[in-house]
Structure formats: structure tokens, C-alpha cells
Amino acid sequence: MQLIRYGATGAEKPGIYKDGKRYSTADFGEDYTEQFFATDGPSRLRTWLPGRTLPEVPATERWASPIDRPSKIICIGLNYADHARETKAEIPKEPIIFFKSTTALCGPNDPVYIPRNSEKLDWEVELAVIIGKRATYVSEADALSYVAGYALHNDYSERAFQIERGGQWVKGKSCDSFAPLGPWLATPDEMPALDSLRLWLTVNGKTFQDGNTSNMIFNVPFLVSYVSQFMTLLPGDVISTGTPAGVGLGFKPAIYLKKGDIVELGIDGLGTSKQIVTPLP
């Protein structure tokens, strides 16, 4: 099952994506929130669907984030060896964890806004894991049973804020529009091969990232278990699992986004998204 949300910002409605079309599930009466996932919402929705005629969502409707705002967006740094090498960083011995503000969350095709005083806006295609139930001190063997699904994520970064302004990475990761998620959340039955997914990203039609989840240093079950040792994961929380080589920071000289650039990205089974680099309104 592929969960989607649609509609204007602040007035999003839930739906599903099936056979290339979007359908509204607003009559189910629940948005895709923490409470939805905490009460086994995907299973309840799957039971509710048979025999129902769902209204098709007009093509003009905006694609929204497939989940409502989570309690936290947790990111894993330097989780692909080739990306660590291109940034001249050591291969991590344990996962590097940082946060991205939940106010950065937006729809998959929304503009990415250039923050005030931005100098070095960069891209990162990533596989996002959405948690399905409360998780604390989870074992690696049980970790996948705590996952509600997966989504495409572009972990935008402002490298000057991240690296040159002191403090933790979160400064360069949390600006508005820096977490486009979707187009859909794919439930686990849709994603049987987590360790062999191609993920790619282009800027203005030129390929910059073309990697595979087989090259992750720490895989999804390990990450879910590991993060749960340090904090309670709530239903709807997002773990973004890192990016392969090809980010702008890794080039010599570095390449950063500018007004009007078109960023497109995708992951096997999780669709594609597109953001246009736009000045702040």
C-alpha cells in the first residue's frame, strides 16, 4: 500500500496511490498522524478499503508530505563510505546522529527556498524510514517490525550554516523546505529488498548522485535498533538513513544550488520528486 497526502499547505487530506492514480481516503476519517500509526492505522485502512469506491484526487492538487508532522526527524550522517571519503571524513565506527527540525518538512514537489544569508545550498537523496509503533531499546532482530514504511527524502543542507557557523549540524539542516518527503509512504510489503535500492539525483538534468543502499555502512535494522538505544521513537517519526557520494560539497571546486535550478531525485519503489530552487517569498 502506498499512502499519500494532498492539498494546500495546512489543509492536507489523506489518500492512497494505486495504479498510477491518487485516491482520497478522507472518508476513513483519519489523517496519517502519530495516532494513526500508533493504532495500527495502515492495517485498519487496508481492512476498510475493499469494496469502496474512492474519489480520484484531481491532478492539479498539490502532493503533500505523506505523513503529518512527526515528533522528530532523525538523520544519519556519513552512512555511505563513498560519501564519507568525498567529504574527507573518517568512516564512522558508530552511526552519527543529528536532528532536522520538523518545520523543514514539506511536500515532495514544493520549492526549496534559499534561506536568508545562504551561500552554500546542497542536496542529499536519502531513504527515509517511518516508525510505526513506540520503540525503546529495540533489538536489531525485531527492528523491522517497528517500521510503518519508507519514503524518498531530500536532506537539503546549507553547508556554510552547517560547517562554518559553529555548533551542531542541525543549523544547516533545518531551514523551511529542507525536508521534502514523498511522494508516498510505501508500506513494508511494497519494499522487500531494502539492501539493493538504487537512489539517484540530478540537477538541471545532470546526474550527480547514483548510488545503492547496498553500500550503506549501517543498514536499516541496525539503525532503528541503534537510535532506539538513545531515545524513544514514536509512531510517525522519521529516520533518514544517509546519502551516497555526489553531493555538491564533494566536488572540487564545490558546486552549490542557485536560483532556478531544478533538482530531481528518486529511489526504486518510492517514486520521484522535484524541487525548484526559489528565493524566499
Side-chain angles (χ1 to χ4, degrees), residues 5-13 22 31 57 60-65 107 110:
R5 294 169 72 247
Y6 66 94
T9 301
E12 292 91 347
K13 296 179 181 178
R22 294 182 294 171
D31 199 357
V57 176
T60 54
E61 287 280 7
R62 165 181 172 264
W63 288 81
S65 162
D110 289 349

Side-chain angles (χ1 to χ4, degrees), residues 28 45 48 52 109 162 203 216 233 275:
F28 182 65
L45 179 60
W48 179 84
R52 298 186 183 273
N109 301 322
Q162 177 188 355
V203 179
M216 281 185 180
L233 298 170
Q275 299 93 44

